[in-house]
Amino acid sequence: MSSSRLAEQRGEVIAIAQRMTADRLVVGTSGNVSVRCGDLVAVTPSGVDYDDLRVDDIPLVTLDGEVVEGELKPTSELPMHLTAYREHGAGAVVHTHSLHATALSLLRDEVPAVHYQLAEFGGAVRVAEYATFGSPELAESMSKALTDRGGCILRNHGTVTIAETLPKAYNRARQLEWLCELWLTATRVGEPSLLSEEELARCAEQFSRYGQQPR
């Protein structure tokens, strides 16, 4: 058992990072993952093969970006993660370079309403305007697109999803990629039929009561 601070959370970051690769949401060391615990954030390091990560390799940083534990440099996308925590109340952040979502970002300004699952994000998933990776401008662009949403797509780049927990944020990343793949698949043979805003609102209400509720 590791005696490292926040060992459980750091281990969870490793598990989700490795799963991103297995699920083909990233290639190599692209993409990144983080989870918040109080005033600290456990985040994947920069440029390290996820299969080689150990708990002590996961940096712990403050919400201001100061590294307080870990010898490896945090991901270059740290400004984006910290913005999601400070401005959107995230408990966890998942950033992928998933193929279909990135492809859609080259064509659209938001994800078309091809399926009711979109309602789980709180409404239309927006595409953030392009900015250089790791830059404050990208964090600002992401933050604008993420307002009142559970995720967004970064133009010519990838996706960002947030949630209270890391498993939920990761599930949103997978759902977002599936929604984009669905739209791209349908457009190969015709013009997709879309759900109305009213129907998405009804579905959003249904999602608020979805799953096992306290008795």
Side-chain angles (χ1 to χ4, degrees):
M1 179 76 67
S2 173
S3 59
S4 299
R5 190 159 34 155
L6 301 184
E8 180 180 351
Q9 289 83 359
R10 292 160 97 174
E12 187 178 37
V13 165
I14 294 173
I16 293 296
Q18 292 173 345
R19 189 174 172 189
M20 282 200 308
T21 302
D23 289 343
R24 302 181 67 183
L25 297 184
V26 299
V27 176
T29 62
S30 64
N32 26 80
V33 175
S34 68
V35 65
R36 179 176 179 176
C37 187
D39 294 329
L40 293 179
V41 174
V43 61
T44 45
S46 178
V48 178
D49 192 317
Y50 295 144
D51 288 337
D52 296 333
L53 287 175
R54 301 168 303 169
V55 167
D56 291 342
D57 294 328
I58 302 300
L60 292 180
V61 302
T62 68
L63 294 175
D64 293 325
E66 178 187 357
V67 178
V68 297
E69 192 167 312
E71 296 183 2
L72 297 181
K73 182 180 178 181
T75 172
S76 60
E77 300 292 9
L78 184 61
M80 201 163 58
H81 286 254
L82 297 180
T83 296
Y85 291 118
R86 292 194 302 256
E87 298 184 8
H88 299 281
V93 179
V94 172
H95 169 46
T96 80
H97 287 184
S98 51
L99 175 63
H100 298 94
T102 306
L104 182 141
S105 79
L106 312 180
L107 304 168
R108 304 281 300 204
D109 292 328
E110 63 181 35
V111 179
V114 288
H115 194 277
Y116 66 79
Q117 194 68 42
L118 194 63
E120 203 268 338
F121 289 85
V125 174
R126 309 179 186 101
V127 175
E129 287 306 312
Y130 178 80
T132 304
F133 77 92
S135 67
E137 291 78 13
L138 178 59
E140 182 179 351
S141 180
M142 175 216 69
S143 186
K144 183 178 179 180
L146 201 56
T147 302
D148 297 324
R149 297 291 184 268
C152 69
I153 303 177
L154 311 175
R155 199 180 304 279
N156 298 80
H157 189 152
T159 73
V160 174
T161 52
I162 62 174
E164 301 85 4
T165 67
L166 199 41
K168 186 173 181 179
Y170 185 68
N171 184 61
R172 283 181 171 168
R174 294 180 64 206
Q175 291 285 357
L176 184 51
E177 172 66 355
W178 181 82
L179 286 163
C180 295
E181 184 177 8
L182 175 60
W183 181 78
L184 288 167
T185 300
T187 57
R188 292 174 188 163
V189 294
E191 185 67 26
S193 174
L194 303 181
L195 299 175
S196 67
E197 291 185 8
E198 292 77 15
E199 177 58 18
L200 282 182
R202 280 192 290 270
C203 292
E205 176 63 22
Q206 290 278 74
F207 272 119
S208 69
R209 301 190 299 271
Y210 184 73
Q212 301 299 317
Q213 303 296 320
R215 295 184 178 182

